Amino acid sequence: MKQVTSIPDLAGKRIVLGLTGGIACYKSAEFLRRAQDHGAVVDVVMTPAATHFITPTTMQALSGNPVFIDTDDGRVSNSMAHINLGRSADAILIAPASADFIAKLAHGMADDLLSTLCLARGQCPLLVAPAMNREMWAHPATQRNVAQLRADGVVILGPGSGSQACGETGDGRMLEPHELLSDLIDHFQPKHLAGKRVLITAGPTSEAIDPVRVITNRSSGKTGYAIAQAAREAGAQVVLVSGPTSLPCPRHVLRIDTESAIDMHAIVMNEATQADIFISVAAVADWHVINSSQQKLKKTEQGQGLPELQFAPNPDILAEVARLSDGPWCVGFAAETENLHEHAEAKRKRKGIPLLVGNLAQHAMNADTTQFVLFDDKGHQALPAQPKLSAARELILAIAQRHSSIQAKSQGTHRK
């Protein structure tokens, strides 16, 4: 498969990054660079208190743009930085947002450039990343203010939990730069699956031979994890049932770890009736060892006394979910090494599912790119070769379109 590239997630986006007084300002510098790496243009606005923790010179050097602090800034021709910056931005992110600044936002106060900008932002989305001591975060006044911001349509990112600069531990830490970046990218993704519950399997399964040896496959889990992330970005509540991988769980996704196919089957069948959509991506082993040893099998000299393994078939998770009378809308995967179209369509019909995604294993396994071919009752559709997250986002859109079409037809039938 030829080398492919993708458009950065924040390409063409202009972000106003607002800093208020707090030690977490150091995280904002790293976040700024990460956002730029993903294509964003960043304008920085600081409160006077923020300049006690990080200098405007630092933020200007990192952003490549002037830093704004004063309401009356002579560098702005019309002296209306609070209007110009907000109206030209795709989003305003306050990180860190102190308890004091959150109170200002909740009560519509505007006594500095950043608070004035937020009040005059019009339809520009406002995202707020709280950063404060755990007691300040837990205080009823702060909780009332945060609830008011949510009611006003402000997006609250975090806070996180952990050790704090004051030496205490608890809720109130500003999210880490990579978490802020993930949530910002998530914000801009279309919410095709808002309100839906999506169940996904990913990774390999691992079948024990003895306590230290297993039979498994080369699946890295990258495709399934990318699909879980894309589904979450699309607004779904996602449960990810994962075989053994070293991948970090996508943010805001509930991961349930498992090893064997039998264990994965039990978990999926327990979760399936609560899901709207089931996407079976895991490379599930076809067989398990029925005479696995409880003790390590010892190697013998010159290959004498080789163990005789006995196998039994594993449950067909996808087919069983597809047969549920109250089950979810099902999507399967087929990783083939040859005759992709023939084998994939045959598998789709055999499983009794409306959509199957095929790809070539030799190109996709453990790779960062893939090329999906979608098979349904109307035929097949080849998507372009692209990074797995980009492919996952296209797949989620295709799933959402098909699922909503089925729902619309079902509702039409009920009305008749």
Side-chain angles (χ1 to χ4, degrees), residues 92-93 125-130 149-150 152-157 183 187:
I92 301 168
L93 169 62
L126 176 60
L127 295 81
V128 170
L149 291 184
R150 288 195 174 105
D152 292 341
V154 176
V155 179
I156 306 297
L157 305 180
D183 286 353
H187 171 77

Side-chain angles (χ1 to χ4, degrees), residues 251-263:
R251 277 180 60 72
H252 310 300
V253 167
L254 173 61
R255 182 175 69 186
I256 303 175
D257 292 323
T258 187
E259 291 196 4
S260 72
I262 291 175
D263 290 342

Side-chain angles (χ1 to χ4, degrees), residues 8-298:
D9 290 318
L10 296 176
K13 301 298 183 185
R14 193 172 197 103
I15 309 299
V16 170
L17 174 61
L19 280 66
T20 71
I23 190 63
C25 282
Y26 78 92
K27 296 183 182 180
S28 303
E30 183 181 346
F31 164 78
L32 190 159
R33 294 306 299 265
R34 287 175 178 257
Q36 289 176 320
D37 290 343
H38 282 74
V41 175
V42 183
D43 294 307
V44 178
V45 178
M46 302 176 68
T47 65
T51 64
H52 294 290
F53 295 91
I54 193 167
T55 68
T57 302
T58 298
M59 300 307 291
Q60 180 169 320
L62 293 174
S63 69
N65 292 318
V67 173
F68 297 90
I69 301 171
D70 300 322
T71 304
D72 299 319
D73 194 315
R75 295 170 299 178
V76 180
S77 59
N78 62 359
S79 296
M80 294 186 180
H82 66 292
I83 300 295
N84 300 349
L85 288 168
R87 301 294 170 82
S88 63
D90 294 288
I92 301 168
L93 169 62
I94 312 300
S98 65
D100 176 71
F101 195 80
I102 287 174
K104 285 183 181 182
L105 293 177
H107 292 87
M109 296 175 66
D111 62 353
D112 56 28
L113 175 58
L114 186 56
S115 57
T116 305
L117 184 155
C118 291
L119 198 61
R121 74 184 192 278
Q123 299 302 310
C124 182
L126 176 60
L127 295 81
V128 170
M132 64 196 74
N133 166 267
R134 64 183 183 88
E135 296 287 2
M136 296 172 71
W137 172 252
H139 195 282
T142 301
Q143 292 303 305
R144 285 196 302 271
N145 291 336
V146 169
Q148 183 60 58
L149 291 184
R150 288 195 174 105
D152 292 341
V154 176
V155 179
I156 306 297
L157 305 180
S161 183
S163 60
Q164 300 181 330
C166 59
E168 298 180 356
T169 300
D171 295 339
R173 282 175 58 98
M174 190 173 87
L175 296 180
E176 299 304 312
H178 70 277
E179 294 174 319
L180 285 176
L181 179 65
S182 176
D183 286 353
L184 181 64
I185 293 171
D186 188 323
H187 171 77
F188 287 114
Q189 294 301 316
K191 306 306 178 196
H192 303 301
L193 292 179
K196 302 300 181 185
R197 292 176 59 91
V198 177
L199 176 63
I200 301 171
T201 63
T205 60
S206 177
E207 309 299 334
I209 296 174
D210 63 22
V212 298
R213 299 181 179 91
V214 298
I215 296 175
T216 186
N217 58 60
R218 294 177 57 199
S219 172
S220 65
K222 290 180 179 179
T223 297
Y225 276 58
I227 292 170
Q229 178 177 334
R232 177 64 191 87
E233 290 175 347
Q237 181 180 348
V238 180
V239 175
L240 175 63
V241 182
S242 176
T245 80
S246 59
L247 300 174
C249 182
R251 277 180 60 72
H252 310 300
V253 167
L254 173 61
R255 182 175 69 186
I256 303 175
D257 292 323
T258 187
E259 291 196 4
S260 72
I262 291 175
D263 290 342
M264 181 176 284
H265 170 264
I267 294 169
V268 169
M269 299 311 294
N270 184 60
E271 297 285 337
T273 56
Q274 304 172 57
D276 298 296
I277 298 168
F278 174 50
I279 309 176
S280 179
V281 192
V284 181
D286 293 315
W287 313 281
H288 65 273
V289 180
I290 60 175
N291 62 334
S292 58
S293 174
Q294 297 302 308
Q295 303 298 326
K296 179 182 177 182
L297 297 172
K298 304 302 291 183

